[in-house]
Amino acid sequence: MTTNRRASLDEIRAFHARMMAVASNSADERLERIFELVPREAFLGPGPWQIKVNRRYVETPSADPCYVYQNVLVALDVTKGINNGEPFLHAALIGAAAPKPGEMVIHVGAGTGYYTALLAMLVLPNGHVQAFEIDRRLADRARENLEPFEGVALTNDDATALPMPNANLVYVSAGVFALPAHWLEALLPGGRIIFPWQANKRTGLAVLITRTPAGYEARPLMPAWFIPCVGASDSAECSKFPSAADACAIRSVWLTRDRSPDGTAVAIYKDLWFSSADCQHF
């Protein structure tokens, strides 16, 4: 016999967490439980909420949290176009970045702290997350939201202009045109940086960079568009723009002080360049 009983919020959240775990493309068995434990609505402010569809916002019919357990952008500041990012995309980024217990993570662009909280859970025990949020109002909200979570510190400042502590993972939630060189330099051996690269005006691409003994290995992942990262969005930093095909062909990145751009360079910036050749090629 069928029933018209509506699923409870716990059931809705659990199913969303299962989808997030699948979207992560990761074998990490912790992900589903952690996605379930961190309530998204707690980081969004009181409902009803504004959900972005194409380029417009649609208000949810009520403050029922069931509406935010979809693969949707939820407004944090409509006037600035700042949103809590698409869950399945972030699940895939987190899966590719593979945060591990005990690691030091830098989160650039924390917003109100939802994905910061997930990262903090994934580096337990003994891990630490240093988050940066340049918008003061968002930073204040994030600091309050993150109080229940262990090993999290939040700085209201520009992460592109500050010294970066050594880290196992740098997780960037803002569109980067010119990757700051000191973010790469902060990576510990085996460290990763995952960021949405605005390679050109029409190409947004998530990129994973890993520090290896041979150099910085670069791997393009999937399309990704984020609001611009303040301090890393100056087109004057670039002397060679990549085509969409070239952006998808990157295999390594080099600091110009270590190696000058050569014929394999597909994108050249002031302090670093992307190559279509593997690190071992050099």
Side-chain angles (χ1 to χ4, degrees), residues 24 47 72 104 208 215 225 229 247 266 274:
S24 74
V72 292
M104 172 65 182
L208 177 67
W225 287 95
C229 180
V266 297
F274 288 91

Side-chain angles (χ1 to χ4, degrees), residues 70-142:
Q70 306 176 68
N71 189 40
V72 292
L73 299 168
V74 182
L76 299 177
D77 187 328
V78 172
T79 62
K80 295 181 179 179
I82 300 174
N83 308 296
N84 180 255
E86 183 182 296
F88 291 177
L89 174 59
H90 276 279
L93 297 176
I94 290 171
K100 299 176 180 63
E103 288 196 322
M104 172 65 182
V105 176
I106 306 296
H107 185 194
V108 178
T112 55
Y114 176 56
Y115 295 108
T116 312
L118 291 169
L119 292 167
M121 294 285 284
L122 287 165
V123 297
L124 290 175
N126 304 320
H128 183 76
V129 178
Q130 171 61 61
F132 291 90
E133 175 51 55
I134 197 169
D135 186 287
R136 182 184 58 79
R137 290 195 299 174
L138 293 182
D140 289 343
R141 290 171 61 185

Side-chain angles (χ1 to χ4, degrees), residues 6 40-41 44-53 56-75 78:
R6 201 201 87 166
R40 189 183 190 194
E41 68 274 17
L44 302 177
W49 299 279
Q50 298 289 328
I51 289 177
K52 193 168 188 179
V53 181
R56 298 173 55 193
Y57 287 98
V58 178
E59 186 171 291
T60 61
S62 72
D64 188 334
C66 72
Y67 294 111
V68 303
Y69 287 102
Q70 306 176 68
N71 189 40
V72 292
L73 299 168
V74 182
V78 172

Side-chain angles (χ1 to χ4, degrees), residues 172 176-184 193 195 209 232 253 269 272 274:
V172 184
V176 171
F177 182 83
L179 185 69
H182 72 283
W183 291 3
L184 279 182
I193 177 170
F195 68 102
I209 295 174
V253 58
Y269 300 91
L272 55 81
F274 288 91

